[in-house]
């Protein structure tokens, strides 16, 4: 809706239908002003929503609303907690192997 895509836990939840996300990573070319105002997002270094700049072009993804699987995997591994690592393993097995 905002020209953005889900990464990390939210993307894994959409693909695997098992994980309940605790934080959201959103990738977009620039922070969508409508998203910020509609969702009342404000800068918070300890917040549960992370906005990141989209840095790839023409990389296939299993769904239009999620980033490519390799990036989902990287987001999950970087989170480092046990449930994210388990989801990363499932993403790897389902989409990267």
């Amino acid at each position: 809706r905002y020209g953005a895509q889900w990464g990390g836990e939210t993307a894994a939840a959409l693909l695997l239908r098992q994980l309940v996300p605790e934080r959201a990573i959103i990738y977009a070319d620039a922070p969508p002003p409508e998203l910020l105002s509609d969702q009342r997002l404000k800068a918070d270094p300890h917040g549960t929503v992370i906005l990141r700049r989209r840095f790839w072009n023409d990389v296939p993804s299993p769904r239009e609303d999620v980033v490519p699987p390799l990036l989902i995997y990287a987001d999950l591994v970087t989170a480092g907690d046990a449930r994210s690592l388990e989801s990363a393993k499932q993403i790897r097995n389902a989409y990267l192997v």
Side-chain angles (χ1 to χ4, degrees):
R1 168 176 173 188
Y2 300 103
Q5 293 173 291
W6 296 109
E9 294 177 10
T10 307
L14 291 168
L15 294 178
L16 302 173
R17 305 213 184 274
Q18 295 174 338
L19 181 69
V20 176
E22 290 182 357
R23 65 181 185 151
I25 300 175
I26 300 170
Y27 287 88
D29 294 324
E34 303 85 20
L35 171 67
L36 300 177
S37 62
D38 290 353
Q39 302 303 317
R40 298 182 181 147
L41 298 177
K42 297 181 183 189
D44 179 353
H46 304 291
T48 58
V49 177
I50 300 167
L51 296 175
R52 293 188 176 153
R53 185 172 310 275
R54 187 177 300 138
F55 57 87
W56 65 93
N57 292 314
D58 301 324
V59 178
S61 182
R63 289 177 50 146
E64 189 175 296
D65 59 345
V66 301
V67 300
L70 185 58
L71 186 52
I72 298 169
Y73 176 81
D75 285 341
L76 293 168
V77 169
T78 301
D81 60 89
R83 64 190 207 90
S84 292
L85 293 173
E86 178 59 33
S87 293
K89 187 185 304 182
Q90 292 175 0
I91 290 290
R92 184 189 67 216
N93 292 340
Y95 296 97
L96 301 175
V97 176

